[in-house]
Amino acid sequence: MMDCKEIFESLSEYIDEELKDAACRQIEVHLADCENCRVVVNTLRRTVTLYHEIPSETLPGDVRLRLHKMIRMEHPKD
Amino acid sequence: MKPDLLNDAELVDLAQEGDGSAMEELVSRYEDKVYNLAVRMVGNREDAEDVLQDTFLNVIRSLGSFRGKSSFSTWLYRITANAALTRLRKRSRKEKSEGEFLDEVYSVKQAAQSGERLNDWSDSPAKRLLSEEAKAMMGEAINELPEKYRTVFVLRDVEGLPASDVAEILDLSVPAVKSRLHRARMFLRNHLSHYYAGEME
């Protein structure tokens, strides 16, 4: 059976579902027996979803105005 | 035809011929994405505005040499990432060494194997995990990532680009992107774990 060290490097590919079936099964066999690795997988997956859930920064109106002013100076309309 | 009905490649062609409204349409189409990427990369809004301006200035100045080998958005993201890195380097910030960074990444492996019980905060309510304070901590944690890990993480996990696009933008192999992404995620996972553990006490 694979140990914690061996599965460690593949955990992102595991949560992204990018591993081949055999590799995936080996990880699942290990996870069934190793509580700490299950915690790492759960919290790693949650870390990724939390960063997805942070709302995008909206471009402030004054910043947009300054940007477009610069664009028109650099690339004037005909 | 109205610029907003044209695709990126058509707008690029027109902008290369000197059409100012085509250029402005390209800017309007991507300014929000570029700004968001800039804020995540440099960690504050003031520097992000500079990155935004530098990016589109570079786009205007080098549009003549853009040959369409990659898509406009890939090319634009590359320019944005480079502008953000240039801005970061201007600050006299001290980046973690590779060794320090990897020690932190792998600290959980040692903890897991030593028999210490790791704390599972993953099913705590989103309200707690994404409190205003927690969101600020998550931003600071990105700032702790060394450049090469930060760029990959922000493009892949914050902007949601496929690994193959990130590889093209940064001129890396897909396995290199995946390996950097994994280390960045593990590092951030550790930061979040420390924070949420402290909060639960």
Side-chain angles (χ1 to χ4, degrees):
Chain A
M1 199 178 88
M2 288 177 99
D3 64 15
C4 306
K5 222 162 82 185
E6 286 170 292
I7 73 159
F8 189 84
E9 292 297 335
S10 311
L11 292 182
S12 276
E13 286 178 290
Y14 174 71
I15 65 170
D16 290 340
E17 299 177 1
E18 290 171 346
L19 288 177
K20 299 218 167 74
D21 288 352
C24 197
R25 266 196 304 277
Q26 282 187 308
I27 289 183
E28 274 159 5
V29 168
H30 177 90
L31 291 179
D33 263 351
C34 180
E35 193 187 339
N36 271 344
C37 282
R38 283 202 299 278
V39 173
V40 173
V41 167
N42 291 344
T43 50
L44 184 66
R45 188 182 275 132
R46 193 71 185 105
T47 298
V48 175
T49 59
L50 283 173
Y51 275 101
H52 280 302
E53 285 165 30
I54 298 185
S56 293
E57 285 284 332
T58 42
L59 180 61
D62 56 330
V63 176
R64 187 189 311 263
L65 283 177
R66 284 196 289 275
L67 174 67
H68 283 263
K69 198 173 156 193
M70 181 207 79
I71 302 294
R72 281 192 290 270
M73 277 168 62
E74 288 289 323
H75 202 299
K77 286 190 186 181
D78 307 323
Chain B
M1 200 187 268
K2 283 167 85 179
D4 57 336
L5 297 173
L6 299 172
N7 67 32
D8 289 358
E10 291 164 332
L11 287 171
V12 168
D13 283 344
L14 289 171
Q16 282 177 332
E17 290 160 17
D19 184 329
S21 18
M23 188 66 232
E24 254 194 284
E25 172 62 21
L26 280 171
V27 174
S28 301
R29 213 168 265 190
Y30 286 102
E31 59 196 3
D32 291 314
K33 281 193 177 225
V34 168
Y35 182 70
N36 188 53
L37 175 59
V39 173
R40 302 299 173 211
M41 283 288 295
V42 298
N44 72 75
R45 296 188 180 103
E46 276 164 37
D47 284 342
E49 177 174 359
D50 289 336
V51 171
L52 177 77
Q53 296 244 358
D54 291 350
T55 298
F56 283 112
L57 207 56
N58 285 339
V59 166
I60 289 172
R61 290 180 182 164
S62 43
L63 196 66
S65 59
F66 175 68
R67 293 280 167 265
K69 256 169 66 188
S70 54
S71 67
F72 175 74
S73 60
T74 297
W75 184 69
L76 176 64
Y77 278 129
R78 185 181 305 143
I79 294 176
T80 310
N82 286 335
L85 292 178
T86 305
R87 177 69 36 181
L88 282 174
R89 285 170 198 152
K90 276 187 190 159
R91 286 192 219 153
S92 49
R93 53 192 282 282
K94 196 178 166 294
E95 183 166 285
K96 268 185 211 305
S97 71
E98 183 80 2
E100 282 173 302
F101 172 75
L102 292 179
D103 281 349
E104 286 190 41
V105 168
Y106 291 112
S107 63
V108 66
K109 191 156 71 174
Q110 268 132 26
Q113 285 175 317
S114 73
E116 181 188 325
R117 267 181 77 125
L118 299 177
N119 168 18
D120 191 351
W121 45 267
S122 63
D123 52 7
S124 305
K127 206 176 136 191
R128 188 172 78 81
L129 297 180
L130 282 173
S131 69
E132 287 309 311
E133 193 188 85
K135 280 192 273 190
M137 172 278 299
M138 288 168 68
E140 282 159 24
I142 292 185
N143 290 339
E144 296 267 318
L145 286 171
E147 285 176 8
K148 66 185 216 191
Y149 297 99
R150 181 194 313 218
T151 319
V152 168
F153 178 78
V154 171
L155 289 170
R156 180 80 182 87
D157 275 352
V158 181
E159 298 299 319
L161 298 176
S164 53
D165 286 10
V166 179
E168 198 185 342
I169 292 167
L170 300 177
D171 221 354
L172 291 170
S173 67
V174 171
V177 166
K178 288 186 178 175
S179 149
R180 289 185 191 186
L181 178 70
H182 179 58
R183 288 172 174 177
R185 284 174 171 181
M186 290 300 289
F187 178 87
L188 296 171
R189 191 214 70 87
N190 293 351
H191 265 250
L192 267 58
S193 292
H194 284 302
Y195 174 80
Y196 294 129
E199 233 209 346
M200 277 192 258
E201 276 159 12

